[in-house]
Amino acid sequence: QVQLVESGGGLVQAGGSLRLSCAASGRTSSVYGMAWFRQAPGKEREFVAGIRWSGGSTVYVDSVKGRFTISRDNAKNTVNLQMNSLKPEDTAVYYCAARKIPSGLTSISAYDDWGQGTQVTVSS
């Protein structure tokens, strides 16, 4: 099992920036990839960005392309999400997740381990 702890959420005005971090511990050698998901009130949880642990290839949902950047630090077992030009519609609880299989990058069901979530609120 992999334990994940997110940090860095908060309140920011539209157009501002936040940086989320996710610290992984436990059986990190089993991790194939990691991702950030988010869930807004009354909405389903959705994929935001993902990164392959080895090689670092990335994928983003269209709505955040050009504004968000996912990165990883293998030595520190952390994954970060730099969020720029934030919009009110980015308001959500953001979750870090880890998966052990190559497939299902954007699928919730592919991820075995989840963090507790961190709130991001963007005011207009």
Side-chain angles (χ1 to χ4, degrees), residues 19 22 24 51 53 71-80:
R19 182 178 178 87
C22 175
I51 187 166
W53 202 246
S71 62
R72 91 267 191 251
D73 185 331
N74 291 35
K76 296 182 179 179
N77 286 334
T78 59
V79 173
N80 302 306

Side-chain angles (χ1 to χ4, degrees), residues 24-73:
S25 61
R27 296 191 62 184
T28 56
S29 60
S30 65
V31 174
Y32 182 89
M34 295 186 68
W36 288 93
F37 288 76
R38 66 186 178 186
Q39 187 166 18
K43 295 188 177 181
E44 294 185 351
R45 191 171 299 190
E46 66 169 350
F47 172 85
V48 176
I51 187 166
R52 182 177 171 181
W53 202 246
S54 175
S57 59
T58 59
V59 176
Y60 299 89
V61 68
D62 285 347
S63 60
V64 308
K65 285 181 180 177
R67 300 189 298 122
F68 291 11
T69 303
I70 188 171
S71 62
R72 91 267 191 251
D73 185 331

Side-chain angles (χ1 to χ4, degrees), residues 97-109:
R99 79 184 195 282
K100 301 179 180 63
I101 58 176
S103 60
L105 170 65
T106 64
S107 174
I108 292 174
S109 61

Side-chain angles (χ1 to χ4, degrees), residues 10-18 38 40 62-68 83-92 94 120-124:
L11 172 65
V12 65
Q13 289 187 333
S17 299
L18 281 174
R38 66 186 178 186
D62 285 347
S63 60
V64 308
K65 285 181 180 177
R67 300 189 298 122
F68 291 11
M83 305 186 294
N84 299 328
S85 302
L86 282 161
K87 304 175 181 180
E89 51 263 44
D90 294 317
T91 295
Y94 283 70
V120 171
T121 303
V122 184
S123 63
S124 57

